[in-house]
Amino acid sequence: MASPQATSSSLAPLTSAYDSILALTPYQTGKPVEELTREYGVSDVVKLASNENPLGCSPHVTLAITEQLGQLARYPDGNGYYLKQALADFNRVDVEQITLGNGSNDLLDLLARGFVSCDDTIVYSQYAFVVYSMLAKIQGATGIEVPAPRFGHDLTAMRQAVADHPNTKVVFIANPNNPTGTLLGQKELREFVASVPASVLVVLDEAYIEYSPESNNRALLDEFDNVVIVRTFSKAYGLAGLRVGYALSSVPVANLLNRIRQPFNVSRVALAAAAAALADQDFIEATRLSNAEQMRWLEKQFDALGLGFIKSHANFIMVKFEVEMEDINAMSIHQALLEQGVIVRPLAAYGLPNWLRITVGLAEDNLRLIDTLRSILTED
């Protein structure tokens, strides 16, 4: 058995897939509050790095969780019967079209494992969710990153990439896109799906769709068997700590995904919490309204500070820091914010070294962010 200190060279011979895994950089999550407190001794922390819901979750969720506390020694329903029924009704699909996951990342992984081999290609956009390129490497597949000249998906170029690589099995499209916040319209997405071979799975990652419900592409499922919609309860529903997501697809795709997903991949507590969260759409509407109001306020503040940003359709905003001072840049701003107890997300890993992604928080969180930024930018 290899020691924990073993290097890649000491693990030879390697398969091509294992080589690609060794080349991976571990996914960098938003810095936890506890870690910042340990590092800098800051107790009053504002976390605006991971696109969590600053309102928390529906009060009905707390009750649903409490009711499960006496059953923690019991395995969950491996089929997720009640949550699937609720999701089927909510999305107007058959129960057989639903796959549950341990967060939406679990479902993205299942899709790659189920449909992509080392001889295949995955197509995704530049400045899209970094996990897509990771999945290509994990499968030992070819990942094609299509340039995004306007920070969003260039569907014409992505269509051409599929045509140029006939072994393409999956196209990942985040809508709204993370980390840029850009949005594709229903008409252009439908035209894209219609233009690619039916053998290519088009995965619409709609983790932030609750913030832009006008772009709900559920109707594509009725027309195309190769469309998969992946959603999560981690963002607008406020259940990031419980890890539960779901996929909507054709029955054959769902059947395959349910064959390879891990047994009991969604916990008993998460199943109950998600069902309660889904039932409280008043909370989702309140979340949407709060986010829209605070987003408008932040945009005005960034304008006043002379900072560029990308118009966002999610619950975060990407802000550019190219200040004409020798020692001021996105990373120095990020570090200065950390030292003052404000956590945001640097985007160098996305090829965006001059940008920070900032989650829209509560009014008091956003005010502290802006006040701290202003003091940093005006320091002598």
Side-chain angles (χ1 to χ4, degrees):
M1 182 174 180
S3 69
Q5 290 78 31
T7 64
S8 58
S9 60
S10 69
L11 297 176
L14 303 169
T15 67
S16 59
Y18 199 48
D19 275 330
S20 65
I21 292 171
L22 288 174
L24 280 171
T25 299
Y27 180 78
Q28 296 296 312
T29 62
K31 184 180 285 290
V33 171
E34 299 82 359
E35 184 177 328
L36 186 69
T37 300
R38 289 195 304 270
E39 289 182 357
Y40 297 100
V42 180
S43 58
D44 184 14
V45 177
V46 172
K47 187 183 180 188
L48 301 174
S50 300
N51 306 336
E52 297 145 331
N53 189 338
L55 298 179
C57 61
S58 163
H60 297 290
V61 168
T62 307
L63 178 60
I65 290 174
T66 301
E67 291 174 346
Q68 293 299 315
L69 295 182
Q71 301 296 320
L72 298 184
R74 302 292 184 186
Y75 284 106
D77 172 6
N79 192 44
Y81 176 85
Y82 291 108
L83 178 56
K84 279 188 174 181
Q85 288 288 338
L87 287 168
D89 292 342
F90 182 76
N91 292 287
R92 293 172 289 106
V93 298
D94 294 331
V95 170
E96 292 76 18
Q97 293 178 261
I98 297 172
T99 309
L100 299 180
N102 186 235
S104 58
N105 272 24
D106 184 29
L107 294 156
L108 299 175
D109 179 63
L110 289 174
L111 286 160
R113 287 198 286 123
F115 289 91
V116 181
S117 75
C118 60
D119 298 320
D120 297 326
T121 295
I122 297 176
V123 172
Y124 47 87
S125 177
Q126 183 185 27
Y127 312 137
F129 192 27
V130 71
V131 164
Y132 307 150
S133 63
M134 292 177 65
L135 291 174
K137 292 183 176 72
I138 290 169
Q139 293 304 112
T142 300
I144 300 298
E145 181 180 275
V146 177
R150 292 179 298 278
F151 297 101
H153 292 70
D154 183 341
L155 293 183
T156 300
M158 294 182 77
R159 183 183 300 112
Q160 187 60 51
V162 172
D164 291 342
H165 297 84
N167 59 341
T168 298
K169 290 296 178 63
V170 175
V171 176
F172 285 116
I173 298 176
N175 198 51
N177 186 47
N178 174 26
T180 64
T182 53
L183 186 72
L184 294 164
Q186 292 175 320
K187 182 174 182 292
E188 56 187 327
L189 270 174
R190 189 206 166 277
E191 290 174 350
F192 174 80
V193 175
S195 72
V196 301
S199 59
V200 175
L201 210 61
V202 179
V203 179
L204 302 181
D205 183 351
E206 294 187 344
Y208 299 93
I209 196 63
E210 289 79 14
Y211 295 101
S212 295
E214 71 280 1
S215 192
N216 184 334
N217 290 283
R218 149 68 187 82
L220 291 177
L221 296 172
D222 296 333
E223 191 174 357
F224 302 99
D225 289 338
N226 61 324
V227 169
V228 180
I229 295 174
V230 177
R231 294 178 180 165
T232 183
F233 284 90
S234 293
K235 305 304 181 183
Y237 286 98
L239 303 185
L242 290 181
R243 312 304 302 129
V244 54
Y246 65 97
L248 307 174
S249 68
S250 64
V251 173
V253 170
N255 184 46
L256 184 145
L257 295 178
N258 279 301
R259 288 170 183 266
I260 63 175
R261 71 179 177 87
Q262 291 292 317
F264 313 118
N265 63 334
V266 181
S267 74
R268 171 181 289 274
V269 172
L271 288 171
L278 186 69
D280 192 353
Q281 289 300 307
D282 288 341
F283 176 80
I284 296 301
E285 181 62 18
T287 290
R288 188 160 44 241
L289 292 174
S290 173
N291 183 75
E293 178 184 4
Q294 290 303 307
M295 180 74 80
R296 289 192 295 269
W297 185 84
L298 280 172
E299 290 174 343
K300 291 178 182 177
Q301 306 311 308
F302 294 136
D303 276 334
L305 290 171
L307 299 172
F309 58 87
I310 303 298
K311 179 69 178 177
S312 175
H313 298 269
N315 68 331
F316 55 83
I317 185 166
M318 201 170 80
V319 184
K320 191 172 187 179
F321 290 88
E322 276 189 331
V323 183
E324 294 181 1
M325 296 174 64
E326 186 175 326
D327 58 346
I328 298 292
N329 52 51
M331 288 309 297
S332 67
I333 295 290
H334 172 246
Q335 182 61 34
L337 287 170
L338 285 180
E339 292 170 2
Q340 298 190 51
V342 179
I343 309 174
V344 297
R345 187 67 178 271
L347 295 175
Y350 284 87
L352 296 163
N354 297 321
W355 298 79
L356 297 177
R357 191 191 68 190
I358 300 172
T359 303
V360 177
L362 298 174
E364 56 267 31
D365 301 331
N366 299 329
L367 178 60
R368 179 168 165 193
L369 165 76
I370 296 300
D371 285 346
T372 306
L373 266 179
R374 186 179 294 112
S375 68
I376 294 169
L377 293 170
T378 58
E379 281 181 355
D380 293 332

